[in-house]
Amino acid sequence: MFYRNKIFITAVVILAVGGGYYAFHEYQKKEPQAPVAKAQGKGNPFGPGGGPTPVVALPAATGSVDVVMNGLGTATPLRTVTVRSRVDGELMRVLFEEGQLVKQGQLLAEIDPRSYQVALQQAQGQLARDQALLENARLDVERYQALFAQDSIARQQVDTQVSLVRQYEGAVRVDRSQIESAKLQLAYSRISAPISGRIGLRLVDPGNIVRSGDANGLVVITQLQPVAVLFTVPQDLLPSVLKRIQSGDEIAVEAWDRDQKARLAQGRLASADNQVDLQTGTVKLKAQFANDDGGLFPNQFVNVRMRLDTLRDAIVVPSAAVQRGAQGMFVYVVQPERTVALRNVKLGPLDGQRQAIAEGLAAGELVVTDGTDRLRAGAQVEIASARPEFKPPADKGSGKGKGRRSKDAG
């Protein structure tokens, strides 16, 4: 019984395998081969026997290229001042708004001046008293000298009176200096802006007692016009920078945003640091910008572009045409028979999207700028005016279904 069941199961398996093979073979006969042949034909550049590869190519041009040095920088105000009180007293009034632009000498706050006005009046009264004593002493000197001429008094009395006059003259000088000091303290009760710039957040409110020794002060003012940008460059480029500085030429510097898409300001190089940072191998440079439109803000991160020189009559290609390989930098050059050749080149300076070629390329030669990822030396190409778009072949099943629906509709 077991032997018969085994034979039966084996026969069923053989019939199932045979039926599946026959069905697959019949399906292969009915399946159209045209799309496969088309995929392997000349119309598809990805096939082994594909036709020309569509690419975008532009001729190498002759032009001027700026030698630009790039660096990372931070906008830094030329002056930052913490406004503090020089005298002690109650803060009576605050005459500025947070974030306001102020001018040098503009009144910012007032401290209770009454105690300093009293001190000034006391000094003025003391001066009047000592001036009266001085005047009386001078009159006595004249009397004593007349009596001494008549031999009525001793010489000692005259000398004593002359010394008393000098004593009162010294007292008058002290009184006058005290008056000036009292006036100065009274002037310090009115706090003015020491520089022009932008006011920060207020640190003290009216009604508080402020003192000259307070560390925080009343407010912070930062100068925005002009403003400086500190940036770093590699130490290998320092000789060329110092050469331009020593020649007296004005070196143009541009500040760009983080994405290097918008130019924020244009200025000039102001100075260079006197030493190289040993940890990074870079040198700090300072550029100065007028910043009339307020495009730069303190502690803002910027990308700096500094133009050191300009190359004339240089061979220029789009930067997208330059590729990197095992042998170095190269470009694909389109030959007259519409094939591409791999050409090793020596690069010059880069100016935005324009790459200067020092060696290996002549003006007018066509170089591939788009589609290089599908190329190799000797490949046949077709010049396109724009970036080629490759669409996948239409779905076979959907096409067949569409045909059936059309036929049924008919």
Side-chain angles (χ1 to χ4, degrees):
M1 184 67 180
F2 174 76
Y3 180 73
R4 291 179 179 178
N5 291 338
K6 186 175 181 181
I7 294 175
F8 178 75
I9 293 173
T10 302
V12 171
V13 171
I14 292 174
L15 290 175
V17 172
Y21 175 78
Y22 177 78
F24 177 76
H25 184 68
E26 291 296 324
Y27 175 78
Q28 288 290 93
K29 290 181 179 181
K30 296 179 180 181
E31 183 69 14
Q33 302 297 325
V36 177
K38 184 177 180 180
Q40 296 178 355
K42 297 183 179 180
N44 187 358
F46 296 103
T53 303
V55 296
V56 177
L58 294 175
T62 302
S64 300
V65 178
D66 293 333
V67 181
V68 178
M69 180 183 299
N70 297 315
L72 303 178
T74 304
T76 306
L78 293 181
R79 290 190 291 177
T80 301
V81 177
T82 301
V83 180
R84 295 184 174 89
S85 173
R86 298 186 181 185
V87 294
D88 301 343
E90 180 183 355
L91 184 61
M92 301 296 292
R93 293 196 304 164
V94 174
L95 305 175
F96 62 86
E97 298 291 338
E98 295 177 338
Q100 176 184 351
L101 292 175
V102 296
K103 299 293 184 180
Q104 184 176 2
Q106 181 176 339
L107 184 62
L108 301 180
E110 289 184 352
I111 297 175
D112 188 1
R114 289 174 294 180
S115 60
Y116 304 104
Q117 291 173 348
V118 172
L120 175 59
Q121 293 173 359
Q122 290 177 347
Q124 289 172 342
Q126 184 67 29
L127 174 62
R129 174 179 176 273
D130 290 341
Q131 283 178 336
L133 293 174
L134 174 61
E135 185 66 23
N136 183 62
R138 286 174 175 171
L139 293 174
D140 288 342
V141 168
E142 293 178 359
R143 296 189 188 102
Y144 288 170
Q145 288 176 346
L147 293 174
F148 177 74
Q150 299 173 4
D151 201 13
S152 300
I153 60 174
R155 179 69 181 179
Q156 182 179 1
Q157 289 181 309
V158 178
D159 294 341
T160 300
Q161 192 63 31
V162 171
S163 298
L164 184 61
V165 170
R166 294 175 180 174
Q167 179 181 346
Y168 287 146
E169 288 176 348
V172 169
R173 293 193 185 97
V174 172
D175 294 339
R176 287 174 178 170
S177 65
Q178 288 179 349
I179 290 176
E180 295 299 326
S181 177
K183 289 181 178 179
L184 188 60
Q185 298 298 312
L186 184 60
Y188 286 161
S189 65
R190 294 170 58 87
I191 302 175
S192 302
I195 62 172
S196 300
R198 185 184 295 276
I199 290 283
L201 300 180
R202 188 175 65 246
L203 303 178
V204 179
D205 297 323
N208 286 278
I209 302 298
V210 296
R211 304 185 184 278
S212 58
D214 293 341
N216 294 331
L218 303 179
V219 72
V220 177
I221 303 177
T222 56
Q223 182 179 356
L224 300 180
Q225 297 173 348
V227 69
V229 171
L230 293 178
F231 62 101
T232 58
V233 296
Q235 60 181 349
D236 297 338
L237 302 177
L238 183 60
S240 58
V241 175
L242 293 180
K243 182 178 179 181
R244 287 293 306 275
I245 294 177
Q246 294 170 0
S247 65
D249 297 337
E250 185 175 295
I251 304 177
V253 180
E254 296 178 350
W256 292 70
D257 63 353
R258 184 183 295 270
D259 298 329
Q260 298 194 22
K261 294 182 179 179
R263 189 176 69 180
L264 303 177
Q266 186 172 6
R268 61 178 181 83
L269 183 66
S271 60
D273 200 0
N274 58 356
Q275 58 184 348
V276 177
D277 190 337
L278 296 178
Q279 297 181 351
T280 61
T282 58
V283 182
K284 290 183 180 179
L285 302 179
K286 177 186 285 187
Q288 185 169 319
F289 300 83
N291 200 32
D292 295 331
D293 58 351
L296 296 178
F297 205 76
N299 296 332
Q300 179 182 3
F301 172 82
V302 295
N303 287 286
V304 178
R305 298 180 184 177
M306 181 172 59
R307 187 176 64 187
L308 293 179
D309 198 1
T310 301
L311 294 182
R312 308 291 181 183
D313 299 328
I315 305 299
V316 182
V317 298
S319 58
V322 180
Q323 307 295 318
R324 182 183 296 274
Q327 293 81 19
M329 311 305 293
F330 67 92
V331 296
Y332 284 109
V333 180
V334 180
Q335 303 297 319
E337 63 274 11
R338 287 296 185 266
T339 60
V340 292
L342 189 148
R343 183 84 59 80
N344 290 324
V345 294
K346 183 178 179 181
L347 303 183
L350 176 65
D351 183 10
Q353 300 297 323
R354 302 167 66 241
Q355 176 66 63
I357 304 297
E359 296 179 4
L361 197 63
E365 290 187 293
L366 283 177
V367 293
V368 178
T369 60
D370 199 351
T372 56
D373 53 337
R374 301 181 299 273
L375 294 181
R376 61 178 180 270
Q380 192 80 21
V381 295
E382 178 183 355
I383 306 296
S385 59
R387 181 180 179 86
E389 296 183 1
F390 295 93
K391 298 181 180 180
D395 186 12
K396 306 174 204 176
S398 62
K400 292 170 65 176
K402 182 177 179 181
R404 290 196 192 98
R405 286 194 296 269
S406 301
K407 186 175 181 181
D408 295 340

